[in-house]
Amino acid sequence: MSTTSRKRRQGRPAADSLVLDTRSIVRSPGAMTQVQRAAVLPSDIGVELMRIPEGSQVDLDLDLTFVDEGVLVTGTVSGRAAVECARCLGEFTADVAVTLTEMYAVEGTAAADGAEQDEVRLLDGDLLDLEPALVDAFGLEFPMSPTCTDYGHSDCVNPDTPAPDGVSGSTEGRIDPRWAGLAEKFGATATDEGAE
């Protein structure tokens, strides 16, 4: 982990709701504690067209398990994302969730020494910071080009948006634009094709 990111983590107050205190876990391999509570995001999480805004609440449903070299975090984090449709540019919200399986290693252990290569995160003393894990998890989960129909809407929320093929209105007598060149070359019409 870079010095900059370590300083940033150490500079954050322990009261931050995404920073979890692991002192409640018995220091015995397999010992576990549950975390089920709401947390507030200190910054936006997501991609350009889909994000959970800063200050939004997310629900943590996590198990923290003590293992030989640190703490294993498993469970789900859910919230509500602001979405901008890539097709119609309309805005709506959607329920979202990610499943976490993250290892937080104690500094000085073999797992911590290989953290950069093995995608293992580091404990900050007895504290673990969920924010970087959530940034990665939601960033991978959210599509780069979300659409209204991806999230339960039968049509785009903006009613003036053309259909996905780039045309709108009545389809009677219309030739699929992908075949229009062939239809023109051979003199076929939509009516002719429908009669076959």
Side-chain angles (χ1 to χ4, degrees):
M1 179 174 292
S2 70
T3 304
T4 304
S5 61
R6 187 172 293 136
K7 283 180 180 175
R8 186 183 71 81
R9 289 190 313 118
Q10 290 174 341
R12 292 177 61 168
D16 185 328
S17 59
L18 288 179
V19 176
L20 306 181
D21 192 335
T22 66
R23 285 177 291 189
S24 61
I25 309 173
V26 176
R27 292 306 195 248
S28 172
M32 183 184 74
T33 188
Q34 290 186 318
V35 175
Q36 293 179 319
R37 63 178 172 82
V40 177
L41 295 184
S43 59
D44 288 356
I45 288 180
V47 293
E48 185 177 353
L49 297 180
M50 187 168 183
R51 62 189 172 77
I52 305 175
E54 176 181 352
S56 296
Q57 178 178 298
V58 291
D59 294 317
L60 310 179
D61 186 2
L62 304 171
D63 293 329
L64 277 54
T65 306
F66 186 78
V67 294
D68 285 337
E69 297 193 334
V71 175
L72 179 65
V73 178
T74 56
T76 59
V77 178
S78 55
R80 197 145 180 85
V83 186
E84 182 178 348
C85 177
R87 185 182 300 142
C88 75
L89 303 182
E91 297 181 358
F92 59 94
T93 59
D95 292 326
V96 293
V98 290
T99 300
L100 291 182
T101 302
E102 296 285 339
M103 174 67 184
Y104 287 80
V106 175
E107 292 201 40
T109 62
D113 293 341
E116 292 290 339
Q117 294 76 28
D118 298 335
E119 299 180 3
V120 171
R121 302 181 190 279
L122 296 180
L123 285 169
D124 187 0
D126 292 314
L127 304 178
L128 65 83
D129 185 356
L130 284 177
E131 186 183 4
L134 294 184
V135 168
D136 291 347
F138 280 111
L140 290 172
E141 180 74 16
F142 290 166
M144 297 301 292
S145 300
T147 63
C148 299
T149 52
D150 293 339
Y151 289 91
H153 297 274
S154 57
D155 296 303
C156 275
V157 296
N158 181 348
D160 298 326
T161 304
D165 65 358
V167 295
S168 59
S170 172
T171 58
E172 187 176 336
R174 180 182 299 138
I175 295 175
D176 187 318
R178 294 169 293 184
W179 303 109
L182 287 174
E184 184 177 313
K185 181 175 181 178
F186 294 105
T189 67
T191 306
D192 295 337
E193 291 176 353
E196 290 178 359

